[in-house]
Amino acid sequence: MRVLICIPCLLTGGTEIQTLNLVEALIRGGHQVTTVCYFEHTPNMVSRYQQAGSKVVCLSVTGKRIGGINGIIFLYKGLKQMIRISKPDITHVQYMAPGAIPILLLRLFGIKNIIATAHTAADIYPNLKLVHFIQRYCVRVFTCITQVAEMSFFGKSNLYTQKTVIQKVNHFTIYNVLPSYIKIREEQRDFSSPVTLGVVGRLEKIKGGDLVIPAFVRIKERYPETRLLIVGDGSLKAFMQQQAKDLHVSEYITWVGRKDQSQLQAYYDKIHVLLIPSRSEGFGLTAIEGMARGCVVIASKTGGLSEIVKDKEVGLLHDQENTEDLAKKVCYVLEHPQDMKMLSMKATRYVEQFGNNQYTLLFNDPYEKVTN
């Protein structure tokens, strides 16, 4: 089967990584995959898609985004050419801005077998009427990455299985997959003192970066030997460093900056308790990566995190934007080392459900059903 994957950008975000996992799953399923990127792209990510076995076409040579009517014309010409060249049996659109326009254009070109995947919850969309129109009249399947996200879009959710029947109008949840650069830990973690807290990801307000240092200060008041490792970069880095300086904890924090995905496993292995204080999170890829390496995940009770990090079973959830509650949950696990070990062991077993084999089976299944 010939598959055309449509995505606005090929940078280094979680959506691009998950779309790469999709490409790999489809190729394992025996499909021919072409990926078309409309706008921004990096040579490294383009190369990774090519190494996975996909053809890659970047519509914008300069990698610059085009907005307004000129952007629509640009997409019209580029996608029309891609349809003529690739002759896809099925087209899979990654529903990121611009999400609806490529789908509407593909329908205009006569493409009927369209799958769309939203990588966030509905809270970033000011008007869901367009999403509902797309789901009802333009695509065969609309998939979400958590049931919480699917509920936010459509008011109900359906976890996809191989027994699921594809009807004329469908929306389902298919969970993201644990990236191949992270292996599930087999041996038990050592939680002997001193304990290292960690943050992995973009240092942005939406990720709760401004909440990390104040929470760390509260924790250090009770556990002075605790250290903090911050892996990532972003617009809040300078602000956070100033917070650390003002609150006199700079010497206890290690900043390593943004790292390539291939290096992340080694950093997760340095982190005992992984903090994810996000204000919004579609899925929580960092959570399953950390759990796979035996980190105790303490995450914000928001979006996909509230579904993926099962509270008191494989991690702990804290109240959103509440540094006091975040610190309280960290102090709890530090006070109860046996609970910390138990959460770590349960987490490594739990993330097996996000493995490549299951993901490959699940995402190849609707492709076959849609085209039959």
Side-chain angles (χ1 to χ4, degrees):
M1 185 186 306
R2 296 183 298 272
V3 179
L4 179 65
I5 304 291
C6 300
I7 188 168
C9 55
L10 288 177
L11 300 175
T12 57
T15 296
E16 292 93 318
I17 294 298
Q18 286 304 319
T19 305
L20 177 59
N21 292 330
L22 168 64
V23 167
E24 292 171 341
L26 293 173
I27 289 173
R28 284 194 296 270
H31 304 301
Q32 298 176 22
V33 180
T34 299
T35 302
V36 56
C37 169
Y38 322 144
F39 304 123
E40 303 94 338
H41 51 85
T42 65
N44 177 57
M45 190 57 74
V46 169
S47 176
R48 291 181 67 176
Y49 274 67
Q50 292 170 333
Q51 290 170 10
S54 172
K55 296 180 181 177
V56 179
V57 177
C58 296
L59 297 183
S60 173
V61 176
T62 61
K64 293 183 178 180
R65 187 165 292 247
I66 304 172
I69 188 65
N70 289 334
I72 296 175
I73 295 171
F74 174 80
L75 287 172
Y76 176 90
K77 293 179 178 179
L79 290 175
K80 187 175 184 180
Q81 182 180 25
M82 287 304 307
I83 295 300
R84 185 175 68 250
I85 294 173
S86 62
K87 297 180 173 61
D89 299 300
I90 194 164
T91 303
H92 194 143
V93 178
Q94 308 308 302
Y95 202 95
M96 306 158 58
I101 293 172
I103 293 174
L104 294 172
L105 289 174
L106 290 168
R107 290 294 292 130
L108 179 66
F109 300 147
I111 303 299
K112 296 181 179 180
N113 292 329
I114 302 174
I115 294 178
T117 295
H119 294 265
T120 66
D123 57 358
I124 70 167
Y125 294 94
N127 187 345
L128 290 181
K129 290 182 179 179
L130 180 57
V131 177
H132 293 162
F133 177 86
I134 291 292
Q135 183 265 326
R136 289 171 185 161
Y137 302 110
C138 299
V139 302
R140 290 296 310 279
V141 176
F142 195 109
T143 72
C144 298
I145 53 179
T146 62
Q147 290 188 276
V148 168
E150 188 183 359
M151 282 287 294
S152 73
F153 277 107
F154 306 113
K156 58 182 179 179
S157 65
N158 308 276
L159 194 60
Y160 191 88
T161 73
Q162 288 180 277
K163 295 181 180 179
T164 297
V165 176
I166 299 290
Q167 299 175 338
K168 186 176 181 180
V169 177
N170 307 269
H171 58 77
F172 305 110
T173 291
I174 300 180
Y175 287 134
N176 281 341
V177 63
L178 181 68
S180 58
Y181 54 79
I182 300 291
K183 306 302 179 186
I184 298 177
R185 176 183 286 273
E186 297 181 359
E187 69 280 6
Q188 186 175 326
R189 283 295 299 264
D190 177 13
F191 287 98
S192 57
S193 187
V195 169
T196 297
L197 312 181
V199 173
V200 178
R202 292 184 291 122
L203 305 181
E204 304 290 346
K205 187 170 183 179
I206 195 171
K207 298 295 185 180
D210 54 311
L211 308 175
V212 173
I213 305 302
F216 179 56
V217 171
R218 289 176 179 269
I219 295 161
K220 276 196 67 63
E221 289 173 356
R222 294 184 59 181
Y223 296 91
E225 292 186 353
T226 307
R227 298 293 184 268
L228 176 62
L229 173 63
I230 297 181
V231 183
D233 206 342
S235 63
L236 284 186
K237 183 175 182 180
F239 172 80
M240 293 171 65
Q241 289 178 326
Q242 187 62 49
Q243 279 183 314
K245 183 178 179 180
D246 293 342
L247 295 169
H248 311 292
V249 292
S250 296
E251 62 183 295
Y252 308 107
I253 303 174
T254 301
W255 309 77
V256 299
R258 182 183 289 113
K259 295 296 178 183
D260 186 80
Q261 281 89 2
S262 63
Q263 299 175 283
L264 289 182
Q265 180 166 296
Y267 285 100
Y268 282 118
D269 288 347
K270 298 176 186 293
I271 295 169
H272 299 100
V273 181
L274 180 65
L275 311 181
I276 312 178
S278 301
R279 289 181 167 89
S280 177
E281 199 73 62
F283 179 77
L285 183 61
T286 301
I288 64 170
E289 291 179 346
M291 286 190 282
R293 298 310 300 168
C295 300
V296 175
V297 173
I298 299 182
S300 175
K301 200 180 298 180
T302 185
L305 288 171
S306 60
E307 180 177 339
I308 299 304
V309 183
K310 297 189 179 301
D311 194 27
K312 300 182 180 69
E313 295 182 30
V314 298
L316 296 178
L317 296 174
H318 68 86
D319 294 337
Q320 188 177 351
E321 293 195 66
N322 191 327
T323 55
E324 183 176 350
D325 192 45
L326 171 57
K328 179 181 176 181
K329 296 297 167 60
V330 174
C331 288
Y332 174 84
V333 295
L334 295 179
E335 290 169 7
H336 300 84
Q338 289 305 315
D339 286 358
M340 190 154 52
K341 291 179 181 179
M342 179 194 68
L343 289 170
S344 173
M345 288 189 294
K346 286 186 175 181
T348 54
R349 293 195 294 267
Y350 166 76
V351 294
E352 291 176 358
Q353 68 179 298
F354 302 106
N356 267 314
N357 291 340
Q358 177 74 356
Y359 182 83
T360 297
L361 289 172
L362 286 180
F363 245 121
N364 276 278
D365 192 64
Y367 273 69
E368 300 295 338
K369 290 175 178 175
V370 162
T371 54
N372 287 338

